[in-house]
Amino acid sequence: MDKNLAMATAEQFDNLTKEYDTVCEKIIVGSLDAITAPAGTKYYYNSQSAEIILNKSIVKDKNGFYERMEKAIERGQFPKITKGKYDKYVITHEFAHTLMDFGSPLSNYINVDVSNIRKARKEIVKIHENYFDEWRSLEIEYRKAEKKAIETFDDLDWKEAQKAEERLNEMKISKYADYSIEEFFAEAFADAKLGSNPSKYSIEVLKVIDKYFKKK
């Protein structure tokens, strides 16, 4: 792993573990089945622990990593991370997964009080539902405005279509957040912590995380 990326990752992980309770016990650099993913998180329910795996093919070169981040953000694949914080995005996203494995049955948690996880899941599900309801509404609004602008070829109609697109882009977190509720949760956390203009839904998710996982 590139030394500068390793230092930034370690620093951010240290900051986050001081702020939140996590079951993550180690970070390793290795190979992933999803070869294009920058990282992944693995759980061990018998020991109630987790590890973060950084994809060595992506984190070995700082310049290549930054170019990859720039392109992913331009495409909307990742949230609009502040440029000076690109090297903190991957560990921040994965750290969210270590707070709560969203997809597993709660029976997998051995000798653990899961009441906070149950409550947090319920609140995140509601935020996720609201997010997609608004996303669908704004998407329809934008497509209608765009269709009208194409048909009329009127400058005012084009401006209205652009405004509708801006409203849609402003509320969206990232394309990766659309993949699953678990990725929505992790992307929202990274957006709220590192984003240049976090989505209002990312702020809502962070409030839930702070309520149930922040150290006293």
Side-chain angles (χ1 to χ4, degrees):
M1 184 176 181
D2 176 87
K3 180 180 178 181
N4 291 319
L5 288 179
M7 290 174 66
T9 297
E11 179 185 25
Q12 181 67 352
F13 183 74
D14 185 51
N15 290 336
L16 292 171
T17 55
K18 287 174 182 174
E19 191 174 2
Y20 299 98
D21 289 316
T22 175
V23 297
C24 185
E25 293 189 347
K26 62 180 176 178
I27 303 169
I28 64 174
V29 180
S31 300
L32 293 177
D33 292 335
I35 58 174
T36 60
T41 298
K42 185 180 289 186
Y43 297 88
Y44 299 96
Y45 295 104
N46 58 338
S47 60
Q48 201 51 52
S49 64
E51 66 182 22
I52 294 172
I53 307 156
L54 302 173
N55 191 338
K56 63 182 180 181
S57 66
I58 291 175
V59 299
K60 65 182 179 181
D61 173 57
K62 180 182 176 181
N63 292 334
F65 176 83
Y66 268 78
E67 287 173 7
R68 188 184 188 88
M69 284 293 300
E70 191 83 47
K71 187 173 290 186
I73 291 168
E74 285 177 1
R75 291 173 175 173
Q77 181 180 345
F78 296 159
K80 301 177 187 70
I81 303 300
T82 302
K83 194 163 188 176
K85 298 179 180 178
Y86 284 0
D87 52 8
K88 294 178 172 60
Y89 162 72
V90 174
I91 192 65
T92 304
H93 173 102
E94 295 304 325
F95 186 87
H97 288 311
T98 74
L99 296 174
M100 180 173 62
D101 179 11
F102 212 97
S104 69
L106 292 178
S107 59
N108 284 346
Y109 290 82
I110 302 170
N111 298 323
V112 173
D113 181 358
V114 297
S115 57
N116 277 356
I117 294 174
R118 183 178 287 109
K119 291 173 186 175
R121 281 185 177 184
K122 187 176 181 180
E123 292 188 33
I124 297 295
V125 165
K126 185 60 179 176
I127 295 170
H128 186 245
E129 289 172 351
N130 291 341
Y131 174 81
F132 270 97
D133 284 346
E134 184 172 1
W135 181 86
R136 283 188 287 266
S137 176
L138 290 177
E139 176 75 16
I140 291 169
E141 180 184 316
Y142 164 57
R143 294 303 175 191
K144 284 182 177 178
E146 184 184 52
K147 183 175 183 293
K148 181 181 179 182
I150 291 171
E151 291 172 349
T152 65
F153 206 67
D154 182 81
D155 287 343
L156 290 177
D157 287 337
W158 275 111
K159 287 180 181 178
E160 286 303 311
Q162 288 172 344
K163 288 178 183 177
E165 185 178 24
E166 287 170 5
R167 287 192 292 273
L168 174 62
N169 290 336
E170 188 175 308
M171 67 77 55
K172 284 203 74 176
I173 296 171
S174 71
K175 291 179 181 177
Y176 196 29
D178 300 344
Y179 188 77
S180 67
I181 189 168
E182 194 159 12
E183 297 306 339
F184 166 82
F185 167 70
E187 286 286 83
F189 181 70
D191 184 35
K193 287 291 187 182
L194 307 172
S196 57
N197 184 29
S199 165
K200 63 182 181 181
Y201 292 99
S202 297
I203 301 299
E204 288 183 32
V205 168
L206 182 61
K207 287 178 180 177
V208 174
I209 294 172
D210 285 351
K211 179 162 61 170
Y212 294 110
F213 301 104
K214 201 158 191 173
K215 289 182 176 179
K216 306 302 182 184

